Amino acid sequence: MVTLHHLNESRSFRVLWLLLEADIPHQVIWYQRDAVTHLAPPALKQIHPLGKSPVIELDGRVISESGAIVELLIERFAPQLRPAADTAAYAQYYEWIHFAESSAMVPVLMRLFNSFETAAGTELRWLENYANNEFSKVFDYVDQQLSDRRYIAGEQLTGADFMIGWVLLLLQKRGMIDNRYPSIHRYLQTLLALPSLQKALAQDNGPETE
């Protein structure tokens, strides 16, 4: 049994979605962001010193970091969500899993933080231009890579889709993906048709919202 400590509107969504897609036996302990600060509640620090989510409990161990959790759960419970080692998609699978939290998230966070600063009256110069250039470079690349495939690593849903899919869902929610990215829009429609993603979206703020 996997126990997920789930914070709404966080990377924990990846793990919730994966648990539902792979039908992995689990229980969820729900946490809500502070309505004013949007920060995680102090209760999460009782589970892990960083006070962040996702965190899972498995075999008596507390495990953090969404990428590590996704890989671990797939290896243990859902090998069908990992391409066979002798296929071309295998290397792409690992590349995209790590791309999601490295190359993709850096410009996303920069643009989000820049928007908070400008809303507070801060005048941005070099940083805003750099963030916008990096964002375009990264997501032009993602859009091009998705132009000839159904999922991010090929024609099969894999763990990489839970990783990069959450990033793109975040961008869509924030209105940061415009008409320059037709392949990303098509990909998101493919993901949003999955019953597991629909259920995860309904549960993100707690089971009572389903």
Side-chain angles (χ1 to χ4, degrees), residues 5 31 40-57 61-66 69:
H5 295 270
Y31 302 81
L44 266 172
K45 287 190 176 181
Q46 299 175 19
I47 310 303
H48 190 280
L50 291 176
K52 294 180 179 293
S53 181
V55 173
I56 66 167
E57 296 181 63
R61 297 180 60 88
V62 174
I63 304 160
S64 64
E65 296 299 328
S66 59
I69 293 170

Side-chain angles (χ1 to χ4, degrees), residues 18 70 74 81-83 93 97 157-164:
L18 172 59
V70 166
I74 288 174
L81 293 174
R82 181 180 61 196
Y93 163 73
I97 277 184
L157 180 71
T158 71
D161 294 295
F162 299 90
M163 293 296 296
I164 194 68

Side-chain angles (χ1 to χ4, degrees), residues 6-10 12 31-34 38 53 204-206:
H6 175 72
L7 176 67
N8 65 310
E9 298 183 16
S10 77
S12 180
Y31 302 81
Q32 295 293 319
R33 291 186 180 275
D34 184 278
H38 208 58
S53 181
D204 188 40
N205 286 302

Side-chain angles (χ1 to χ4, degrees), residues 86-132:
D86 60 352
T87 65
Y90 185 71
Q92 291 183 337
Y93 163 73
Y94 282 107
E95 179 182 359
W96 285 109
I97 277 184
H98 293 278
F99 180 96
E101 274 301 299
S102 53
S103 297
M105 278 306 293
V106 171
V108 171
L109 290 175
M110 289 180 68
R111 286 193 65 177
L112 284 174
F113 294 156
N114 285 351
S115 69
F116 299 153
E117 286 295 311
T118 54
T122 303
E123 182 181 356
L124 300 176
R125 297 179 181 177
W126 178 86
L127 191 59
E128 184 172 26
N129 186 60
Y130 178 80
N132 289 338

